[in-house]
Amino acid sequence: MMKSKTIYVCSECDYQSAKWLGRCPQCNAWNSFTEETFTEPAKTSGARPRLAVHGEREHAVRFGDFAMPEYIRHSTGIGELDRVLGGGLVEGSVVLLAGEPGIGKSTLLMQLCGQIGDSCKVLYVSGEESKGQLKMRAERLGVAAEYLYVLTETSIGDILAEYDKIKPDLMIVDSIQTVVAEEISSAGGSVTQVRECASLLINRAKADGASVVIVGHVNKEGGIAGPKVLEHMVDAVLTFEGDRRTPHRIVRATKNRFGSTNEIGVFEMEEHGLEEVANPSAMLLEGRPTGVSGSCAVCIMEGSRPLIAEIQALVTPTVFPAPRRTANGIDYNRMCLLLAVLEKRLGLKFSACDVYLNVIGGIRIDEPAADAAACFAMISSLRDIPVPDDMIAFGELGLSGEFRSVVSVEQRVNEAFRLGFSQVVLPKRCAAKAGEADVELVKMNGIYDALKIFSEKEQKKE
Ligand code: TYD
Ligand code: MG
């Protein structure tokens, strides 16, 4: 006997409650509870359920006795996407691509179809657009793949039936929030629907060895909409980042079972689709003003790739009772911490000033190695002395004002050299790992040495 009961599920975090709540006690989201019907499977009396597949019991094996499985990877034909995926799409893997509306998910996937649709069978399932709209986009992108099939359907049963008929090598589902299983009473996009449809898709793909790319929406906070379990179920999660108003787009792997995470792919949205950016550092430094105070270049690591970004600071006397602090592209609390260290250790009066900190190009920096450059930009703006244009700085700042070592020193220095920087400011402790590049190394023990750089500049200015 199947028993049905009504439960209320938070659409943000999957929290379940027997009664409706205005605010979710788990994720604090307001008005996020939706009514769903939950069917409890009848308990079979006595015997414990066995987790067996096809009626056969799994046996434990000695780990040394079985060989490494071979994962077959197919290049997507888009270099930046391959980099994020760890070399290409793995057969039988499921990738979730998430991002804000209008950021370019469907565009990227249509371009992917164009690249591989001439040699592999691709099924593009769209629940968001009509066939005409898809055709128009393909036309605009110059996609004319021979083995590309499109299906505008939202019922999971029909999608799987079509999948069985076509047997594609790659299936794209745009988006999981539009797919519905009719047996479930709740609306498309609800937690139960997303979980159920995703698990049906994943099971089918795994059984057949086909690759699946699922598009996912993001919620108001920027997280992936739907149950957290969706992220656990898939093999890789790619997030599409960027400001819709600027052309730069970053695809970042936040989870990857077949490659390293933290890798990023950089694209630029052009009139005819997404163009790969092979040299993102040069793009980020484009149009950088010279001889202006409040700016410092930094080399951050995005996975295995060094990336040069520019941090800008504006420090102005405050007119407010409590000074304003604004951080864009860098953690707000990190900025406050750096300001506190500068105030305490160097006696700089930031407490009387508003501070605005900004990272150029829509990049988000969450690496402590950027501390040195952020401090330099803020001191430079406070004192109105420019950091030399050919100077780049990296190093983590400790609370005692000491500079701590960072990783990948040689790669950072080489990237700085490649882009024409001739002075690299770095922590003294890791200067030995800087490699052979022809740059001047400015070694620093602590933030006190930074002041030395600025006071030398001040003397020169006078
Ligand atoms: P789209 O892929 O539809 O976004 P998503 O699927 O993530 O919601 O991309 C939408 C935006 O991209 C749209 O606002 C227009 C822009 N765009 C271009 O600038 N050039 C192009 O060639 C295409 C196809 C779209
Ligand atoms: Mg879309």
Side-chain angles (χ1 to χ4, degrees), residues 82-272:
D82 279 352
R83 169 196 280 275
V84 188
L85 289 168
L89 271 174
V90 175
E91 271 185 18
S93 73
V94 181
V95 177
L96 173 68
L97 176 69
E100 300 219 338
I103 197 102
K105 301 178 294 294
S106 309
T107 306
L108 180 67
L109 293 177
M110 187 51 92
Q111 282 178 262
L112 171 66
C113 293
Q115 289 293 335
I116 63 172
D118 275 332
S119 51
C120 302
K121 235 188 229 183
V122 183
L123 175 62
Y124 190 116
V125 182
S126 179
E128 306 203 332
E129 286 156 307
S130 68
K131 288 195 180 71
Q133 284 169 321
L134 291 172
K135 190 83 192 169
M136 258 163 57
R137 166 168 307 122
E139 195 75 7
R140 189 167 169 194
L141 299 171
V143 169
E146 202 183 333
Y147 301 112
L148 171 62
Y149 294 79
V150 294
L151 173 68
T152 44
E153 179 58 70
T154 55
S155 146
I156 186 74
D158 295 348
I159 292 172
L160 290 177
E162 234 15 62
Y163 169 90
D164 286 337
K165 210 167 89 196
I166 294 175
K167 286 279 172 221
D169 303 297
L170 168 66
M171 172 156 68
I172 294 170
V173 180
D174 187 2
S175 63
I176 190 71
Q177 275 78 13
T178 56
V179 180
V180 284
E182 271 100 21
E183 310 80 76
I184 300 171
S185 59
S186 58
S190 72
V191 174
T192 329
Q193 285 283 13
V194 169
R195 186 184 333 136
E196 189 58 29
C197 296
S199 91
L200 285 170
L201 283 168
I202 293 169
N203 290 346
R204 188 64 62 95
K206 294 265 174 205
D208 274 9
S211 308
V212 178
V213 179
I214 298 175
V215 172
H217 291 175
V218 293
N219 55 24
K220 288 197 290 293
E221 287 76 34
I224 297 167
K228 197 75 190 162
V229 69
L230 180 61
E231 287 167 69
H232 290 294
M233 275 161 30
V234 298
D235 296 306
V237 179
L238 308 185
T239 52
F240 220 127
E241 299 171 5
D243 188 338
R244 251 175 305 165
R245 288 159 297 183
T246 65
H248 311 144
R249 300 282 186 275
I250 292 176
V251 180
R252 187 187 296 276
T254 50
K255 163 181 175 177
N256 196 350
R257 287 186 185 148
F258 299 109
S260 102
T261 46
N262 303 324
E263 287 293 347
I264 61 162
V266 185
F267 295 91
E268 206 166 342
M269 183 61 99
E270 306 261 329
E271 202 178 321
H272 297 289

Side-chain angles (χ1 to χ4, degrees), residues 280-307:
S281 299
M283 177 189 81
L284 290 171
L285 290 175
E286 221 174 50
R288 188 174 171 218
T290 51
V292 182
S293 66
S295 154
C296 186
V298 61
C299 190
I300 51 169
M301 294 301 294
E302 288 286 4
S304 60
R305 166 191 267 185
L307 198 65

